[in-house]
PDB file of all heavy atoms in Angstrom:
ATOM      1  N   GLU A  24     -12.166  34.143  75.590  1.00  0.00           N
ATOM      2  CA  GLU A  24     -13.378  35.073  75.411  1.00  0.00           C
ATOM      3  C   GLU A  24     -13.285  35.674  74.050  1.00  0.00           C
ATOM      4  O   GLU A  24     -14.361  35.903  73.490  1.00  0.00           O
ATOM      5  CB  GLU A  24     -13.240  36.108  76.492  1.00  0.00           C
ATOM      6  CG  GLU A  24     -14.516  36.978  76.694  1.00  0.00           C
ATOM      7  CD  GLU A  24     -15.664  36.195  77.326  1.00  0.00           C
ATOM      8  OE1 GLU A  24     -15.508  34.946  77.646  1.00  0.00           O
ATOM      9  OE2 GLU A  24     -16.697  36.774  77.677  1.00  0.00           O
ATOM     10  N   LEU A  70       4.660  34.345  65.396  1.00  0.00           N
ATOM     11  CA  LEU A  70       4.023  35.597  64.935  1.00  0.00           C
ATOM     12  C   LEU A  70       4.360  35.789  63.471  1.00  0.00           C
ATOM     13  O   LEU A  70       3.547  36.371  62.752  1.00  0.00           O
ATOM     14  CB  LEU A  70       4.406  36.772  65.808  1.00  0.00           C
ATOM     15  CG  LEU A  70       3.523  37.053  67.049  1.00  0.00           C
ATOM     16  CD1 LEU A  70       4.119  38.149  67.872  1.00  0.00           C
ATOM     17  CD2 LEU A  70       2.134  37.446  66.592  1.00  0.00           C
ATOM     18  N   THR A 117       8.954  54.593  82.953  1.00  0.00           N
ATOM     19  CA  THR A 117       7.888  54.254  83.933  1.00  0.00           C
ATOM     20  C   THR A 117       7.450  52.828  83.723  1.00  0.00           C
ATOM     21  O   THR A 117       7.222  52.099  84.681  1.00  0.00           O
ATOM     22  CB  THR A 117       6.632  55.172  83.601  1.00  0.00           C
ATOM     23  OG1 THR A 117       7.076  56.578  83.735  1.00  0.00           O
ATOM     24  CG2 THR A 117       5.498  54.888  84.453  1.00  0.00           C
ATOM     25  N   ILE A 124      10.789  44.888  84.256  1.00  0.00           N
ATOM     26  CA  ILE A 124      11.340  44.223  83.085  1.00  0.00           C
ATOM     27  C   ILE A 124      11.885  45.248  82.048  1.00  0.00           C
ATOM     28  O   ILE A 124      11.331  46.345  82.036  1.00  0.00           O
ATOM     29  CB  ILE A 124      10.404  43.240  82.378  1.00  0.00           C
ATOM     30  CG1 ILE A 124       9.136  43.894  81.950  1.00  0.00           C
ATOM     31  CG2 ILE A 124      10.132  42.007  83.192  1.00  0.00           C
ATOM     32  CD1 ILE A 124       8.146  43.059  81.138  1.00  0.00           C
ATOM     33  N   GLU A 141     -13.831  54.876  74.077  1.00  0.00           N
ATOM     34  CA  GLU A 141     -14.743  55.992  74.462  1.00  0.00           C
ATOM     35  C   GLU A 141     -14.039  57.305  74.701  1.00  0.00           C
ATOM     36  O   GLU A 141     -14.677  58.321  74.571  1.00  0.00           O
ATOM     37  CB  GLU A 141     -15.511  55.629  75.778  1.00  0.00           C
ATOM     38  CG  GLU A 141     -16.610  54.540  75.595  1.00  0.00           C
ATOM     39  CD  GLU A 141     -16.093  53.126  75.404  1.00  0.00           C
ATOM     40  OE1 GLU A 141     -14.889  52.870  75.662  1.00  0.00           O
ATOM     41  OE2 GLU A 141     -16.860  52.267  74.972  1.00  0.00           O
ATOM     42  N   ASN A 244      -6.849  61.412  73.333  1.00  0.00           N
ATOM     43  CA  ASN A 244      -5.769  61.235  74.211  1.00  0.00           C
ATOM     44  C   ASN A 244      -4.465  60.984  73.449  1.00  0.00           C
ATOM     45  O   ASN A 244      -3.358  61.318  73.903  1.00  0.00           O
ATOM     46  CB  ASN A 244      -6.082  60.109  75.162  1.00  0.00           C
ATOM     47  CG  ASN A 244      -6.762  60.618  76.432  1.00  0.00           C
ATOM     48  OD1 ASN A 244      -7.404  61.636  76.405  1.00  0.00           O
ATOM     49  ND2 ASN A 244      -6.562  59.942  77.549  1.00  0.00           N
ATOM     50  N   THR A 300     -22.668  64.851  79.322  1.00  0.00           N
ATOM     51  CA  THR A 300     -21.986  65.388  78.143  1.00  0.00           C
ATOM     52  C   THR A 300     -20.982  64.480  77.524  1.00  0.00           C
ATOM     53  O   THR A 300     -20.822  64.412  76.303  1.00  0.00           O
ATOM     54  CB  THR A 300     -21.314  66.685  78.526  1.00  0.00           C
ATOM     55  OG1 THR A 300     -22.263  67.704  79.021  1.00  0.00           O
ATOM     56  CG2 THR A 300     -20.626  67.353  77.373  1.00  0.00           C
TER      57      THR A 300
END
Side-chain angles (χ1 to χ4, degrees):
E24 195 74 352
L70 271 173
T117 300
I124 55 176
E141 285 75 14
N244 271 25
T300 299

